[in-house]
Amino acid sequence: MSPVLRPPVMLTEVVMRDGLQIEPTILSTDVKVALLDRISDLGFSRIEATSFVSVRAVPALADAEEVFARIRRRPGTTYVALAMTPRGAGRAIKAGVDEIAVVVSASEAHNNANAGRSIDDSFAGFAAVADMSRAANTALSGAISMTFGCPLEGDIPAARVFGLIERFLATGIQDISLADTTGMAYPTQVAALCDEVLRRYPEARFGLHLHDTRGLGLANALAGLQSGIVRFDACIGGLGGCPFAPGASGNVCTEDLVHMLELMGHETGIDLDALLETRRAVEQAVGHPLEGHVGVAGPRLRPFACTTDDAAPQIVGS
Amino acid sequence: MSPVLRPPVMLTEVVMRDGLQIEPTILSTDVKVALLDRISDLGFSRIEATSFVSVRAVPALADAEEVFARIRRRPGTTYVALAMTPRGAGRAIKAGVDEIAVVVSASEAHNNANAGRSIDDSFAGFAAVADMSRAANTALSGAISMTFGCPLEGDIPAARVFGLIERFLATGIQDISLADTTGMAYPTQVAALCDEVLRRYPEARFGLHLHDTRGLGLANALAGLQSGIVRFDACIGGLGGCPFAPGASGNVCTEDLVHMLELMGHETGIDLDALLETRRAVEQAVGHPLEGHVGVAGPRLRPFACTTDDAAPQIVGS
């Protein structure tokens, strides 16, 4: 029961990209900039600020250039934008992003649906993006969607994930996010895959992008941590989600993940109280209740609805 | 990534006791009996069917005798009722329960609020209950509420939990449930305590009663499993809850726990599809949406809203 020193964890806040892209309400640029500036103050290592993708496909993020022009950049935070193609990467570089994130799916069917091209064609584009980002001195990372299963293709063989990692490494991309896009991962699967990729590819830096579609977000994060993963994406209020499961939970919730990590002794650099206030601002902006538990119940030793002066309600049981 | 044989897990379904006791709608005895008979068919090792406690304190379970007289007992399932006092235990024995569960809190303040007496007085009663249950050949188990923290007292020293375990053992109670009554447990804490109690008390059989108040139910179950715990309480639809955090999640959700356990290779004996149907029956009976994720999104490889014929929606991202 004595405290154990555990490695710090690097969190990437994705609410302004993954969280907003399927929200029915499109936020104004003013609101986005104000939220991003608040999020910047929280101390994240990385913030996914927007996407430079087809405006038709993601109208919610059509103002990517303006957002990047107007946000305040906190020293020590890397401001990331997603791009799928050289055209998007060109826009991102011009807008002055710190890092471009490209995405490929481990499922050919999903890559076709999501990116509108084959996996091979995606990588052909990534080679050009890599040249552009090197020339512009912009960092580049890659994500593998559907790493832990795909609603269209079912289980994804680990060998296919290894193949995609190797293609990223060959393209000069060492920062690789394993994404559980529709919440199909489970802890032993996460542990086995993370153990294996960390062993096979010591030159890469792996992160986990987890969803909570089936309630396993934090359990999978725990399994990843135990394997040695120290980079996680998370989303304020658990926004975002899986269009295959309407009504289901979205990304793993930042507040709940920070709460767990800090209790376990992993420093995140995030102020949980300020994060919970920012959650309320996000909730107000999107106009509907958010997911997540700590935002409702309060942190472990200071639950929202109880002070030590309260009489304890009788519950008669365990 | 190859399948590993993992130990089977014994689940106790608590929805008809812990789940119903704070529901605003009191179910009729007919509905309770029908639900319990459906739950019996699911294959649980144990079912907490009701409580023999003060009718004034828990009016929702005032029909405990009639419920026990009318339910169908499935061979292989242990039907448990909670009792706090010799008087309640006498009623439970007369009603023919298979097992009495007594509850003490690791927090003196909470024990006073919950049981209306001191921890010492609770144990004085348990000694009488133990005599009665031995004479009646009725099994007896014990639960320790607030094992992982108390909203009134804060952190609970492990030494206090050890002391309560020793008092249970001295009373002849070997089946001991460590209860996270208000969802204050976190994975490294669960692992450390479970490791230690399993080492110290090999003669005891420990279970975990987890709540999802702060979203950590499944992560804590994972930590417990990794320590060697193979008995868990769970509650259909995550009903029940923590009166200290109104609106917060309740018990760890049975559907989500079964889904995780089965994916990890732990047999539970529970038919997940039938469980999800029973969830709908419980939801209809209580008249409001339940907690839990698999009940909304569907199991991992067969999400409710997607068939392989569906066009994949475009989400543009990870």
Side-chain angles (χ1 to χ4, degrees):
Chain A
M1 305 298 281
S2 56
V4 179
L5 268 186
R6 293 191 166 81
V9 165
M10 198 187 97
L11 293 179
T12 301
E13 174 55 53
V14 303
V15 68
M16 300 305 291
R17 198 278 299 170
D18 202 355
L20 292 187
Q21 70 186 7
I22 66 165
E23 278 297 309
T25 303
I26 297 187
L27 305 191
S28 71
T29 307
D30 285 351
V31 170
K32 286 179 190 171
V33 170
L35 285 177
L36 274 163
D37 286 348
R38 281 191 74 149
I39 292 168
S40 282
D41 289 336
L42 296 174
F44 290 98
S45 308
R46 289 168 84 245
I47 294 174
E48 273 192 16
T50 187
S51 284
F52 290 89
V53 294
S54 154
V55 171
R56 192 181 44 76
V58 190
L61 304 180
D63 55 357
E65 275 84 357
E66 194 183 347
V67 165
F68 253 97
R70 290 177 51 193
I71 56 172
R72 183 169 39 76
R73 310 272 191 110
R74 175 182 165 273
T77 297
T78 301
Y79 292 83
V80 186
L82 192 137
M84 310 290 277
T85 60
R87 181 164 179 279
R91 289 172 57 202
I93 289 167
K94 201 168 160 203
V97 308
D98 296 326
E99 178 179 323
I100 295 168
V102 294
V103 181
V104 70
S105 180
S107 150
E108 191 75 56
H110 178 253
N111 204 70
N112 267 293
N114 189 40
R117 75 208 66 187
S118 69
I119 292 174
D120 281 349
D121 287 347
S122 281
F123 273 100
F126 298 163
V129 171
D131 290 340
M132 295 163 69
S133 67
R134 258 188 298 273
N137 202 23
T138 301
L140 180 60
S141 62
I144 304 175
S145 292
M146 303 291 179
T147 294
F148 299 95
C150 171
L152 300 169
E153 294 194 10
D155 265 317
I156 299 294
R160 200 186 304 169
V161 177
F162 303 152
L164 296 171
I165 292 168
E166 287 161 21
R167 293 179 81 167
F168 271 140
L169 292 172
T171 312
I173 296 175
Q174 278 89 36
D175 283 303
I176 299 172
S177 179
L178 305 175
D180 183 28
T181 313
T182 63
M184 294 177 74
Y186 54 95
T188 46
Q189 179 199 31
V190 171
L193 189 69
C194 291
D195 285 349
E196 186 65 19
V197 301
L198 289 168
R199 189 186 67 74
R200 279 178 178 242
Y201 309 107
E203 70 274 40
R205 293 176 292 275
F206 290 104
L208 283 171
H209 174 99
L210 299 169
H211 280 233
D212 202 36
T213 322
R214 291 171 182 85
L216 287 164
L218 293 185
N220 288 333
L222 176 62
L225 276 172
Q226 291 173 340
S227 290
I229 300 288
V230 291
R231 299 161 160 246
F232 294 88
D233 290 355
C235 183
I236 290 173
L239 281 180
C242 162
F244 296 93
S249 300
N251 286 270
V252 71
C253 172
T254 310
E255 308 87 270
D256 292 3
L257 181 59
V258 167
H259 181 255
M260 178 179 91
L261 290 169
E262 296 281 343
L263 287 174
M264 290 173 62
H266 294 274
E267 271 190 30
T268 62
I270 311 295
D271 176 336
L272 181 59
D273 290 313
L275 174 61
L276 291 168
E277 280 172 37
T278 304
R279 169 194 165 90
R280 286 188 280 275
V282 171
E283 189 161 59
Q284 199 162 31
V286 300
H288 63 79
L290 305 183
E291 299 282 334
H293 294 77
V294 177
V296 177
R300 172 176 189 270
L301 285 180
R302 37 202 168 87
F304 286 151
C306 179
T307 74
T308 47
D309 296 329
D310 286 349
Q314 187 170 31
I315 62 172
V316 188
S318 51
Chain B
M1 306 295 281
S2 55
V4 179
L5 269 185
R6 293 193 167 80
V9 165
M10 197 187 99
L11 293 179
T12 301
E13 175 53 55
V14 303
V15 67
M16 300 306 290
R17 197 277 301 169
D18 202 356
L20 292 187
Q21 72 186 5
I22 66 164
E23 277 298 309
T25 303
I26 296 187
L27 306 191
S28 72
T29 308
D30 285 352
V31 169
K32 286 180 189 169
V33 170
L35 284 178
L36 274 163
D37 286 349
R38 282 191 73 150
I39 292 168
S40 282
D41 290 335
L42 297 175
F44 289 98
S45 309
R46 291 168 83 245
I47 293 173
E48 273 192 18
T50 186
S51 283
F52 291 89
V53 293
S54 155
V55 171
R56 191 182 45 76
V58 190
L61 304 180
D63 56 357
E65 276 84 357
E66 195 183 347
V67 165
F68 253 97
R70 290 176 53 193
I71 55 172
R72 184 169 38 77
R73 309 273 190 109
R74 175 182 167 273
T77 297
T78 301
Y79 292 83
V80 187
L82 192 138
M84 309 290 277
T85 60
R87 182 165 178 278
R91 288 172 58 202
I93 289 167
K94 202 170 161 200
V97 307
D98 296 327
E99 178 178 323
I100 295 167
V102 294
V103 182
V104 71
S105 180
S107 150
E108 191 74 57
H110 178 253
N111 204 70
N112 267 293
N114 188 40
R117 73 208 66 186
S118 69
I119 292 173
D120 281 348
D121 287 347
S122 281
F123 272 101
F126 298 163
V129 172
D131 290 341
M132 295 163 69
S133 67
R134 259 188 298 273
N137 202 24
T138 300
L140 181 59
S141 61
I144 304 175
S145 293
M146 303 289 178
T147 294
F148 299 94
C150 170
L152 300 169
E153 294 195 9
D155 265 317
I156 300 293
R160 201 187 304 169
V161 177
F162 303 152
L164 297 171
I165 292 168
E166 286 160 23
R167 292 179 82 166
F168 271 141
L169 291 172
T171 313
I173 295 175
Q174 278 88 37
D175 283 302
I176 299 171
S177 178
L178 305 175
D180 183 27
T181 312
T182 63
M184 293 177 75
Y186 53 95
T188 45
Q189 179 198 32
V190 171
L193 190 69
C194 291
D195 285 350
E196 186 64 19
V197 301
L198 290 168
R199 189 186 68 74
R200 279 178 177 242
Y201 310 108
E203 70 275 40
R205 292 175 294 274
F206 289 104
L208 283 172
H209 173 100
L210 299 170
H211 280 234
D212 202 35
T213 321
R214 292 172 181 84
L216 286 164
L218 293 185
N220 288 332
L222 176 62
L225 277 172
Q226 291 173 339
S227 290
I229 300 289
V230 291
R231 300 160 159 245
F232 293 88
D233 291 354
C235 183
I236 290 173
L239 281 180
C242 162
F244 296 94
S249 301
N251 285 271
V252 71
C253 172
T254 310
E255 307 89 270
D256 292 3
L257 182 59
V258 167
H259 181 255
M260 178 180 90
L261 290 169
E262 296 281 343
L263 287 173
M264 290 173 62
H266 295 274
E267 272 190 30
T268 63
I270 312 295
D271 176 336
L272 181 59
D273 289 315
L275 174 62
L276 290 169
E277 281 172 36
T278 303
R279 169 193 165 91
R280 286 187 280 275
V282 170
E283 190 162 56
Q284 200 162 31
V286 300
H288 63 79
L290 305 183
E291 298 282 334
H293 294 78
V294 178
V296 177
R300 174 175 188 271
L301 284 180
R302 35 202 169 87
F304 287 151
C306 179
T307 74
T308 49
D309 297 329
D310 286 348
Q314 187 171 31
I315 61 172
V316 189
S318 52

